[in-house]
Amino acid sequence: MISRLKIAMVASECYPFAKVGGLADVVSGLARALYAAGHDVIIILPRYAAIDAEKYGLRPFISPLGVWMGDTQEWCATQTASYGGIPVYFIEFERYFGRPGLYNDPEFHDYRDNPRRFGFFTRAALQLCRDMGFAPDIVHAHDWQTALAPAYLKIWHWDDPVLGGAASVLTIHNLAHQGRYPVDDYAYLGLQPGNFTADKFEEFGGINMLKGGLYYADLATTVSPTYARETRTPHGADGFAPFLVRKGASYLGIVNGVDYELWNPASDHYLPSHFSPQAIAGKAEVKLALQRRVSLEVNPNIPLVGVVSRLVGQKGLDLLAGSIEAIVRDMAVQFVILGAGEKGLEWYFGPLPGRYPGRIGSYIGYNEELAHWIVAGSDFFLMPSYFEPCGLNQIYALKYGTLPIVRATGGLDDTVRQYDEASGAGTGFKFFEPSARSVYYTVGWAVSTYYDRKPHLRQMIATAMGEDFSWAHQARDYLGAYAQAMANKRRL
Ligand code: ADP
Ligand code: GLC
């Protein structure tokens, strides 16, 4: 067993401070579990304008902080707050983070200076560790935004008295985002001309930040074993497979955990009623309250399918758009959809309730409370993703006895067990072909189970609620990965 480790989590999102998707939940959940296990954890985030300084008690910390970017020295400030005892540090730099979005403007256009913003943030995070004398055993970076941390450690801090002992772990949450940018910013990023090669940062004449980070990382992980396997195959990783294959045993999949303090039907403070496997009645009450809230017909005996999702291509909601009207025409079922993202999907799902009053409810936007209500009050939870590195909502749904209907890909395949009509075993309904027809038939399979095989439905709900994906458990796998990274560490 590893003794007490010093771990610096460097990330672009962390719940509750700044969240776009599951990355935020993973960073905070993992940090909390490591802290609870007695490790010395710090979290470093950008000080986005959207972070509510008053609510989270942000206080000024080291200032000024000088950060070398190429041959420019940028001067920024830092702030700090505590998250349940874990010190959180924020890199404050108006030019890069004093704007409304994390990654994009309100029209969903990526900020053009994103490579500079996150390269700078990552370098500043390491500089902050130096200035405050925090000598990490592990620097844990997440996705392309902080993928340069392993590279900076090896290029600039190998002999550093504070950072020289750090091994690096890079967790890939989604290969659809690799940090691919024109070459113009390469000098600013300070990665040295000699490293602009096809095995490191260069890709078709541009920069690939994730690829370079992966090269330098002492260990790389992704968020489920199946996604780790899929991404090693030629079609599974958007051109990235050879670089993942090259990592050999130093690229592995660890399924995300869930913070059951935040996602627990017995204590969830967002919910109007509570429930547990022993006292399930409260679930029906949440369902009725949910139906009322989103203007569905209030009826305990009609199955309700919930969706909470970023409305982006990966999530396969075009497959739902291609089947939902046939489903509500042919089956006695209701839908509630919560999401925001691409305009085409927003324009389709937003007005849909007007055409199917009482049968379909939708809310376009981001709403944490409604997300909890849908996860808790629905009978089924649909995720028809084309690919899904892990996915968290289906894991939350299991705990609330809301049976997932998922495409068998990535983490969806690893966390949901297929229903067996002979025995009633399993926790959900999986399909393989990414098509509207598969969504139609698999929702039909769930709906027919709801009406015709009630004992199986009850059995599956009980099995689902008993599944354990707690961070306490998953964090042990990360500690194993940290040990492996420390053993791997060598100069490149
Ligand atoms: P991803 O990170 O790809 O979006 P995950 O399933 O890992 O997918 O995580 C999604 C997280 O974001 C969940 O916590 C989910 O509840 C939340 N979420 C997504 N869209 C919304 C929304 N519109 N309103 C509230 N929460 C949302
Ligand atoms: C990414 C993936 C999602 C995963 C999340 C947290 O956003 O799309 O599948 O659950 O990261 O790891």
Side-chain angles (χ1 to χ4, degrees), residues 25-39:
D25 297 22
V26 170
V27 170
S28 68
L30 176 58
R32 280 161 58 117
L34 293 167
Y35 178 74
H39 298 281

PDB file of all heavy atoms in Angstrom, residues 25-39:
ATOM      1  N   ASP A  25     -17.368  16.528 -12.434  1.00  0.00           N
ATOM      2  CA  ASP A  25     -17.775  15.596 -11.380  1.00  0.00           C
ATOM      3  C   ASP A  25     -16.636  14.640 -11.049  1.00  0.00           C
ATOM      4  O   ASP A  25     -16.425  14.271  -9.888  1.00  0.00           O
ATOM      5  CB  ASP A  25     -18.994  14.775 -11.822  1.00  0.00           C
ATOM      6  CG  ASP A  25     -20.231  15.622 -12.068  1.00  0.00           C
ATOM      7  OD1 ASP A  25     -20.074  16.835 -12.312  1.00  0.00           O
ATOM      8  OD2 ASP A  25     -21.343  15.084 -12.022  1.00  0.00           O
ATOM      9  N   VAL A  26     -15.900  14.235 -12.072  1.00  0.00           N
ATOM     10  CA  VAL A  26     -14.826  13.274 -11.858  1.00  0.00           C
ATOM     11  C   VAL A  26     -13.682  13.909 -11.071  1.00  0.00           C
ATOM     12  O   VAL A  26     -13.156  13.313 -10.120  1.00  0.00           O
ATOM     13  CB  VAL A  26     -14.317  12.717 -13.211  1.00  0.00           C
ATOM     14  CG1 VAL A  26     -13.050  11.897 -13.031  1.00  0.00           C
ATOM     15  CG2 VAL A  26     -15.410  11.873 -13.859  1.00  0.00           C
ATOM     16  N   VAL A  27     -13.317  15.123 -11.432  1.00  0.00           N
ATOM     17  CA  VAL A  27     -12.203  15.777 -10.740  1.00  0.00           C
ATOM     18  C   VAL A  27     -12.546  15.958  -9.261  1.00  0.00           C
ATOM     19  O   VAL A  27     -11.754  15.614  -8.375  1.00  0.00           O
ATOM     20  CB  VAL A  27     -11.846  17.121 -11.418  1.00  0.00           C
ATOM     21  CG1 VAL A  27     -10.878  17.919 -10.568  1.00  0.00           C
ATOM     22  CG2 VAL A  27     -11.256  16.861 -12.801  1.00  0.00           C
ATOM     23  N   SER A  28     -13.747  16.427  -8.964  1.00  0.00           N
ATOM     24  CA  SER A  28     -14.062  16.648  -7.548  1.00  0.00           C
ATOM     25  C   SER A  28     -14.271  15.327  -6.817  1.00  0.00           C
ATOM     26  O   SER A  28     -13.804  15.164  -5.695  1.00  0.00           O
ATOM     27  CB  SER A  28     -15.272  17.566  -7.379  1.00  0.00           C
ATOM     28  OG  SER A  28     -16.431  16.929  -7.814  1.00  0.00           O
ATOM     29  N   GLY A  29     -14.928  14.374  -7.456  1.00  0.00           N
ATOM     30  CA  GLY A  29     -15.183  13.090  -6.785  1.00  0.00           C
ATOM     31  C   GLY A  29     -13.898  12.345  -6.478  1.00  0.00           C
ATOM     32  O   GLY A  29     -13.706  11.824  -5.366  1.00  0.00           O
ATOM     33  N   LEU A  30     -12.997  12.313  -7.453  1.00  0.00           N
ATOM     34  CA  LEU A  30     -11.725  11.617  -7.232  1.00  0.00           C
ATOM     35  C   LEU A  30     -10.905  12.338  -6.166  1.00  0.00           C
ATOM     36  O   LEU A  30     -10.346  11.701  -5.259  1.00  0.00           O
ATOM     37  CB  LEU A  30     -10.946  11.531  -8.553  1.00  0.00           C
ATOM     38  CG  LEU A  30      -9.549  10.924  -8.469  1.00  0.00           C
ATOM     39  CD1 LEU A  30      -9.583   9.504  -7.897  1.00  0.00           C
ATOM     40  CD2 LEU A  30      -8.878  10.906  -9.846  1.00  0.00           C
ATOM     41  N   ALA A  31     -10.869  13.664  -6.240  1.00  0.00           N
ATOM     42  CA  ALA A  31     -10.094  14.424  -5.245  1.00  0.00           C
ATOM     43  C   ALA A  31     -10.639  14.170  -3.837  1.00  0.00           C
ATOM     44  O   ALA A  31      -9.880  13.945  -2.888  1.00  0.00           O
ATOM     45  CB  ALA A  31     -10.129  15.917  -5.575  1.00  0.00           C
ATOM     46  N   ARG A  32     -11.954  14.166  -3.714  1.00  0.00           N
ATOM     47  CA  ARG A  32     -12.547  13.940  -2.389  1.00  0.00           C
ATOM     48  C   ARG A  32     -12.231  12.556  -1.858  1.00  0.00           C
ATOM     49  O   ARG A  32     -11.960  12.374  -0.668  1.00  0.00           O
ATOM     50  CB  ARG A  32     -14.069  14.132  -2.454  1.00  0.00           C
ATOM     51  CG  ARG A  32     -14.475  15.595  -2.408  1.00  0.00           C
ATOM     52  CD  ARG A  32     -15.877  15.783  -2.928  1.00  0.00           C
ATOM     53  NE  ARG A  32     -16.855  15.007  -2.187  1.00  0.00           N
ATOM     54  CZ  ARG A  32     -17.854  15.535  -1.475  1.00  0.00           C
ATOM     55  NH1 ARG A  32     -17.979  16.835  -1.410  1.00  0.00           N
ATOM     56  NH2 ARG A  32     -18.711  14.770  -0.858  1.00  0.00           N
ATOM     57  N   ALA A  33     -12.276  11.558  -2.736  1.00  0.00           N
ATOM     58  CA  ALA A  33     -12.007  10.189  -2.284  1.00  0.00           C
ATOM     59  C   ALA A  33     -10.538  10.031  -1.880  1.00  0.00           C
ATOM     60  O   ALA A  33     -10.223   9.368  -0.892  1.00  0.00           O
ATOM     61  CB  ALA A  33     -12.360   9.198  -3.390  1.00  0.00           C
ATOM     62  N   LEU A  34      -9.639  10.657  -2.628  1.00  0.00           N
ATOM     63  CA  LEU A  34      -8.209  10.567  -2.282  1.00  0.00           C
ATOM     64  C   LEU A  34      -7.943  11.288  -0.964  1.00  0.00           C
ATOM     65  O   LEU A  34      -7.185  10.821  -0.115  1.00  0.00           O
ATOM     66  CB  LEU A  34      -7.362  11.184  -3.408  1.00  0.00           C
ATOM     67  CG  LEU A  34      -7.374  10.416  -4.735  1.00  0.00           C
ATOM     68  CD1 LEU A  34      -6.771  11.277  -5.848  1.00  0.00           C
ATOM     69  CD2 LEU A  34      -6.623   9.085  -4.621  1.00  0.00           C
ATOM     70  N   TYR A  35      -8.601  12.417  -0.794  1.00  0.00           N
ATOM     71  CA  TYR A  35      -8.462  13.184   0.454  1.00  0.00           C
ATOM     72  C   TYR A  35      -9.006  12.370   1.635  1.00  0.00           C
ATOM     73  O   TYR A  35      -8.366  12.266   2.687  1.00  0.00           O
ATOM     74  CB  TYR A  35      -9.218  14.502   0.297  1.00  0.00           C
ATOM     75  CG  TYR A  35      -9.232  15.396   1.510  1.00  0.00           C
ATOM     76  CD1 TYR A  35      -8.106  16.104   1.895  1.00  0.00           C
ATOM     77  CD2 TYR A  35     -10.396  15.531   2.277  1.00  0.00           C
ATOM     78  CE1 TYR A  35      -8.124  16.935   3.012  1.00  0.00           C
ATOM     79  CE2 TYR A  35     -10.430  16.362   3.393  1.00  0.00           C
ATOM     80  CZ  TYR A  35      -9.284  17.059   3.753  1.00  0.00           C
ATOM     81  OH  TYR A  35      -9.317  17.870   4.861  1.00  0.00           O
ATOM     82  N   ALA A  36     -10.159  11.738   1.422  1.00  0.00           N
ATOM     83  CA  ALA A  36     -10.756  10.931   2.494  1.00  0.00           C
ATOM     84  C   ALA A  36      -9.861   9.739   2.843  1.00  0.00           C
ATOM     85  O   ALA A  36      -9.850   9.279   3.986  1.00  0.00           O
ATOM     86  CB  ALA A  36     -12.143  10.438   2.068  1.00  0.00           C
ATOM     87  N   ALA A  37      -9.100   9.262   1.859  1.00  0.00           N
ATOM     88  CA  ALA A  37      -8.198   8.134   2.121  1.00  0.00           C
ATOM     89  C   ALA A  37      -6.886   8.612   2.754  1.00  0.00           C
ATOM     90  O   ALA A  37      -5.967   7.815   2.956  1.00  0.00           O
ATOM     91  CB  ALA A  37      -7.918   7.381   0.818  1.00  0.00           C
ATOM     92  N   GLY A  38      -6.784   9.893   3.059  1.00  0.00           N
ATOM     93  CA  GLY A  38      -5.639  10.389   3.810  1.00  0.00           C
ATOM     94  C   GLY A  38      -4.533  11.004   2.980  1.00  0.00           C
ATOM     95  O   GLY A  38      -3.458  11.316   3.503  1.00  0.00           O
ATOM     96  N   HIS A  39      -4.775  11.202   1.679  1.00  0.00           N
ATOM     97  CA  HIS A  39      -3.728  11.788   0.843  1.00  0.00           C
ATOM     98  C   HIS A  39      -3.817  13.317   0.862  1.00  0.00           C
ATOM     99  O   HIS A  39      -4.848  13.892   1.178  1.00  0.00           O
ATOM    100  CB  HIS A  39      -3.820  11.225  -0.581  1.00  0.00           C
ATOM    101  CG  HIS A  39      -3.610   9.741  -0.598  1.00  0.00           C
ATOM    102  ND1 HIS A  39      -2.359   9.170  -0.515  1.00  0.00           N
ATOM    103  CD2 HIS A  39      -4.500   8.718  -0.595  1.00  0.00           C
ATOM    104  CE1 HIS A  39      -2.486   7.847  -0.501  1.00  0.00           C
ATOM    105  NE2 HIS A  39      -3.778   7.547  -0.547  1.00  0.00           N
TER     106      HIS A  39
END
